[in-house]
Amino acid sequence: MKVQPAWTFPTGTGKRGALAVLLGLTTVLGACSKSSDLDDDTPAPAKSSSTGGGDSIQAIAKERGLSPDDITAALKTYTPSGTHDPYIMFASGGHSGQVFAIGVPSMRILRSIGVFTPEPWQGWGYPVEKDIISAGDSDTTPLTWGDSHHPAISQTNAEYDGQFLFINDKANARVAVIDLKDWMTKQIVKNPIILNDHGGTMVTPNTDYIIEGGQYGAPLGWSYASIDDYQKSYRGAVTFWKFDRAKGRIDVDQSFAMELPPYGQDLFMSGRLVSDGWVFGNSFNTEMATGGDLEGKPPMEAGASQRDMDYMHIINLKAAEADFKAGKFEKMKGFPVIRLTTAIQDGLLYFAPEPKSPHGVDVSPKGEFIVASGKLDPHVTVYSFAKIQQAIKDKKSTPDVFGVPVLDYDSIKEAQVEVGLGPLHTQFDDKGYAYTSLFLDSMVARWTLGGNYSSLHPEGPWKVVTKIPVQYNVGHICIPGGDTAKPDGKYLVSLNKWSIDRFFPTGPLLPQNLQLIDISQGGDKMQILYDLPMGIGEPHYAQMISADKLKPYTVYPEIGWDVNSGKVDPDAALPGKERIERRDGAVHVYMTAVRSHFRPDQVVVNKGDKVVWHITNVERTQDATHGFAISGYNINLSIEPGRAETFTFVADRSGVFPFYCTEFCSALHLEMAGYLLVKP
Ligand code: RUQ
Ligand code: CUA
């Protein structure tokens, strides 16, 4: 299919003049270009220095079939070599198990971060971080992948602080902590009572807790119960992982869970400012459908979408924390769980009816509204936190089958906004607009918030202002700070699930399409600027932060740095002290790496020896990373400047095994090698 340029040159004015007029670019062109002499066959206006470069842009635009909109989009995203992006977006990798960092607006992929899946380029899991990855192993099965879904940047006072990044693994109910000083995963915790999660990770406004909601109802603690006993024996849960910021780790001993009905909990979101201390979550299977299609029962998805209303979960986290500290919990697999009966009795849990198979639950910047999207309802429903509090006080509720108070819908509803088909997720900007992704419509709707935001809108409150088509099947959307008290309304990224005709078909498996949209102007103006094909994973959600809030190391602070403890390893290999010694029944190798050699470059052991190998990159130069690989032993490390690593293996195969540096680090990179000799 040939694409026609949407725009042709007006006649009579000369292409260059027309282009400049259309783009309003006269001064830009004049300021940065020399006079041109390109293949323009219309008489050019007088060659003055103010319009001198127009011909070349015009010729390129013509040749490439670019419209004025294309050209403005290019100008808004082009990031000249050597300049940096003002925003960094962290996107989950879906079932690749990783996280991707992307510069915005250039949409250049800057890095992947190994999390739940071993990743050879970073040496992630070969063999050093195996213990971190395997922290979530189920009793018998080693895990080598995850389904990363929702990244969360740590917050201070309900704003991103750029210190840590958290992410969940839906497949195995794990939560990972990434330190944004070196962009490395430091910890993975496995939820001991649930097998999968979805409503994670979201953080409370000062990152006291990382929230992890479960998803599919199951007997808690990985136990067995007949599916016929679903209502009696199956449960949902939400877990509050306590974060110790000073240590940069989750403090498992201060963490707890709350038992919930088996309603298919979905996303969770923390309240903030006026709703600080409260947490909101969705559910989509209050029908408690269990499938059984072979037995003639309704299939899962039909069974789970029969009722008009499901329940938004409203949790008083402050009160739950007090109950936990008062010991009002039971231990399950050694993990504290506040039982459902306690949650009901102590007023920790309320429900709000929400139409129909809801998915996203999002809190407005100042925390006063909660927006729920029903996938099968063309509206988003907006609840007022103040009204929720009033209804709780007035006991305007009736119990559900488990006894959880269901608040009166009409008393707590603030508004319903008809946004379109398949609403999923909502983000907010700095101009009082909300944006909701529409999966079925393949659009993003911009609508006005009411309440305190009303004065910002001549259009009136709770009104759709415009919708922009995206390509195609959008899931999450991401605005810098779009889920914080301080959103920044310049860009929106639409994380589309299908890309169909957008790129050259890469076989039957196509990339995802992340589309960058300019939302800097209000009203009905939104413009798609760029398509980023993501061919290395399936991002679900992303969070974007102003780059100046990130303060990463350029090299590790000192030579011999242990990336896990965050200080110098007392047993690190150091320059001048390289050696091989036998002690405690093992061979200890102390090796340094520097351009362009390893010292020692010969290591001789006996077959069957246990080898403890310490290696330190002693470089102080930024980007002087060395790799380290031993052929035949599946050993592969990335050692950034200053970093010290230790790995252990049994030399169970005799032979001669070259080791070499895998990063093209210097002119003599190929010579950066040596031999491991294992004597029979
Ligand atoms: S969600 S399917 Cu975040 Cu829309 Cu996971
Ligand atoms: Cu070091 Cu190549």
Side-chain angles (χ1 to χ4, degrees):
M1 182 178 70
K2 186 156 171 14
V3 180
Q4 290 294 327
W7 164 70
T8 48
F9 294 99
T11 50
T13 53
K15 295 178 192 173
R16 179 176 57 196
L19 185 70
V21 168
L22 276 162
L23 297 181
L25 276 181
T26 322
T27 50
V28 175
L29 297 180
C32 65
S33 53
K34 301 202 182 87
S35 71
S36 83
D37 50 9
L38 289 184
D39 56 346
D40 186 353
D41 51 10
T42 23
K47 288 193 178 177
S48 75
S49 61
S50 69
T51 55
D55 285 332
S56 61
I57 292 176
Q58 176 183 34
I60 294 165
K62 187 180 173 191
E63 189 202 325
R64 302 198 66 216
L66 301 179
S67 71
D69 276 352
D70 296 333
I71 295 168
T72 54
L75 292 176
K76 286 175 182 179
T77 54
Y78 179 66
T79 306
S81 178
T83 55
H84 296 185
D85 285 295
Y87 294 98
I88 304 295
M89 179 167 76
F90 295 100
S92 66
H95 36 294
S96 84
Q98 317 296 52
V99 164
F100 307 126
I102 299 157
V104 178
S106 75
M107 301 303 271
R108 297 177 296 196
I109 298 177
L110 301 178
R111 248 200 76 177
S112 72
I113 302 174
V115 186
F116 298 110
T117 307
E119 205 281 305
W121 164 63
Q122 294 160 67
W124 178 248
Y126 298 92
V128 176
E129 299 87 356
K130 249 192 197 145
D131 295 350
I132 295 182
I133 298 175
S134 68
D137 285 1
S138 54
D139 306 337
T140 49
T141 314
L143 303 173
T144 56
W145 74 287
D147 188 4
S148 66
H149 265 241
H150 301 113
I153 299 169
S154 57
Q155 298 184 16
T156 300
N157 298 326
E159 290 179 38
Y160 298 151
D161 57 38
Q163 294 179 5
F164 297 94
L165 184 73
F166 310 99
I167 186 128
N168 70 311
D169 163 23
K170 163 165 170 162
N172 302 294
R174 294 184 289 173
V175 170
V177 180
I178 297 164
D179 192 328
L180 290 176
K181 280 203 293 291
D182 62 357
W183 298 32
M184 280 193 62
T185 304
K186 304 291 171 169
Q187 184 187 24
I188 293 175
V189 293
K190 168 78 185 100
N191 197 306
I193 61 163
I194 53 173
L195 263 167
N196 49 63
D197 67 28
H198 187 248
T201 51
M202 288 81 199
V203 299
T204 52
N206 282 304
T207 323
D208 298 320
Y209 287 100
I210 302 151
I211 303 164
E212 183 198 25
Q215 183 136 68
Y216 305 112
L220 296 184
W222 309 18
S223 47
Y224 176 82
S226 162
I227 201 156
D228 297 331
D229 294 334
Y230 189 84
Q231 180 170 334
K232 182 169 148 255
S233 304
Y234 286 46
R235 286 294 176 269
V238 58
T239 300
F240 300 102
W241 295 102
K242 180 78 180 165
F243 186 59
D244 182 335
R245 194 187 284 264
K247 291 202 176 111
R249 298 292 186 278
I250 286 169
D251 184 348
V252 177
D253 293 336
Q254 295 301 315
S255 306
F256 64 97
M258 182 189 286
E259 177 187 10
L260 298 171
Y263 285 165
Q265 280 76 23
D266 203 20
L267 283 157
F268 276 80
M269 183 60 69
S270 173
R272 72 180 77 92
L273 306 187
V274 296
S275 51
D276 190 5
W278 291 73
V279 166
F280 311 95
N282 273 334
S283 61
F284 57 74
N285 185 14
T286 51
E287 295 85 350
M288 295 188 273
T290 57
D293 46 7
L294 281 188
E295 278 85 61
K297 295 185 202 153
M300 269 298 273
E301 82 279 14
S305 47
Q306 281 163 3
R307 300 181 58 194
D308 282 338
M309 294 282 187
D310 290 291
Y311 296 137
M312 181 166 82
H313 294 35
I314 301 167
I315 295 171
N316 186 340
L317 174 56
K318 280 267 138 64
E321 184 187 45
D323 267 18
F324 165 62
K325 288 191 170 151
K328 296 176 95 174
F329 57 78
E330 281 174 29
K331 283 214 170 173
M332 221 174 260
K333 276 203 155 178
F335 195 74
V337 181
I338 297 178
R339 300 306 304 257
L340 185 54
T341 44
T342 311
I344 296 166
Q345 234 162 44
D346 292 2
L348 313 182
L349 176 66
Y350 300 88
F351 288 155
E354 54 181 356
K356 278 224 56 155
S357 301
H359 186 51
V361 58
D362 296 285
V363 175
S364 60
K366 305 290 174 227
E368 49 311 54
F369 301 119
I370 301 110
V371 179
S373 304
K375 299 186 291 273
L376 304 179
D377 180 52
H379 300 88
V380 290
T381 304
V382 183
Y383 302 86
S384 150
F385 181 71
K387 290 181 183 174
I388 288 172
Q389 293 304 304
Q390 195 59 47
I392 291 174
K393 215 182 265 162
D394 298 345
K395 297 196 166 30
K396 275 200 165 173
S397 60
T398 45
D400 84 327
V401 292
F402 290 91
V404 181
V406 182
L407 301 176
D408 176 56
Y409 181 59
D410 292 319
S411 311
I412 58 177
K413 186 181 69 177
E414 179 76 22
Q416 276 204 311
V417 185
E418 185 169 346
V419 286
L421 297 182
L424 294 187
H425 300 286
T426 299
Q427 293 253 301
F428 305 89
D429 72 4
D430 55 347
K431 294 178 279 293
Y433 290 119
Y435 299 77
T436 300
S437 55
L438 305 170
F439 181 84
L440 296 176
D441 277 343
S442 285
M443 290 199 190
V444 174
R446 167 191 269 168
W447 50 278
T448 59
L449 290 172
N452 290 331
Y453 307 88
S454 297
S455 58
L456 296 166
H457 303 303
E459 306 94 334
W462 315 123
K463 290 231 159 49
V464 172
V465 179
T466 188
K467 296 188 207 180
I468 186 167
V470 292
Q471 289 77 30
Y472 303 92
N473 298 5
V474 51
H476 279 272
I477 49 181
C478 166
I479 291 174
D483 68 335
T484 70
K486 215 166 172 206
D488 170 341
K490 203 162 161 58
Y491 299 111
L492 180 150
V493 172
S494 172
L495 287 89
N496 305 327
K497 295 291 168 193
W498 287 29
S499 65
I500 315 181
D501 57 357
R502 294 291 104 175
F503 310 108
F504 185 84
T506 50
L509 179 62
L510 302 184
Q512 313 280 305
N513 185 12
L514 272 55
Q515 285 185 305
L516 178 67
I517 301 173
D518 179 355
I519 58 162
S520 58
Q521 300 179 65
D524 61 0
K525 290 212 176 57
M526 287 202 265
Q527 184 192 4
I528 293 200
L529 300 180
Y530 197 85
D531 283 19
L532 167 65
M534 185 59 86
I536 48 176
E538 194 218 346
H540 282 257
Y541 179 46
Q543 290 199 336
M544 205 192 310
I545 182 171
S546 183
D548 57 19
K549 286 190 169 179
L550 297 167
K551 304 272 183 271
Y553 292 151
T554 49
V555 298
Y556 281 107
E558 289 176 64
I559 290 174
W561 199 258
D562 174 353
V563 300
N564 283 314
S565 67
K567 42 189 194 239
V568 170
D569 174 2
D571 204 21
L574 293 176
K577 303 209 174 127
E578 297 91 342
R579 64 198 185 276
I580 301 170
E581 53 185 44
R582 270 181 190 277
R583 67 178 141 90
D584 317 326
V587 181
H588 292 254
V589 179
Y590 291 85
M591 175 180 276
T592 57
V594 70
R595 279 161 291 170
S596 304
H597 60 267
F598 295 110
R599 181 181 168 82
D601 56 11
Q602 291 178 1
V603 175
V604 185
V605 302
N606 296 320
K607 183 177 173 190
D609 276 345
K610 182 182 171 197
V611 183
V612 183
W613 198 303
H614 308 267
I615 181 166
T616 304
N617 178 346
V618 301
E619 304 266 4
R620 296 280 74 200
T621 309
Q622 186 179 10
D623 210 7
T625 293
H626 298 290
F628 180 75
I630 306 180
S631 306
Y633 271 97
N634 199 38
I635 283 162
N636 165 37
L637 311 177
S638 170
I639 323 167
E640 300 79 33
R643 179 171 172 184
E645 273 308 347
T646 302
F647 61 91
T648 304
F649 65 101
V650 176
D652 50 10
R653 219 173 314 156
S654 62
V656 175
F657 303 92
F659 56 77
Y660 72 100
C661 169
T662 50
E663 282 271 334
F664 206 116
C665 56
S666 63
L668 292 177
H669 151 75
L670 292 178
E671 288 80 353
M672 192 168 174
Y675 287 102
L676 164 68
L677 300 124
V678 182
K679 293 205 249 176

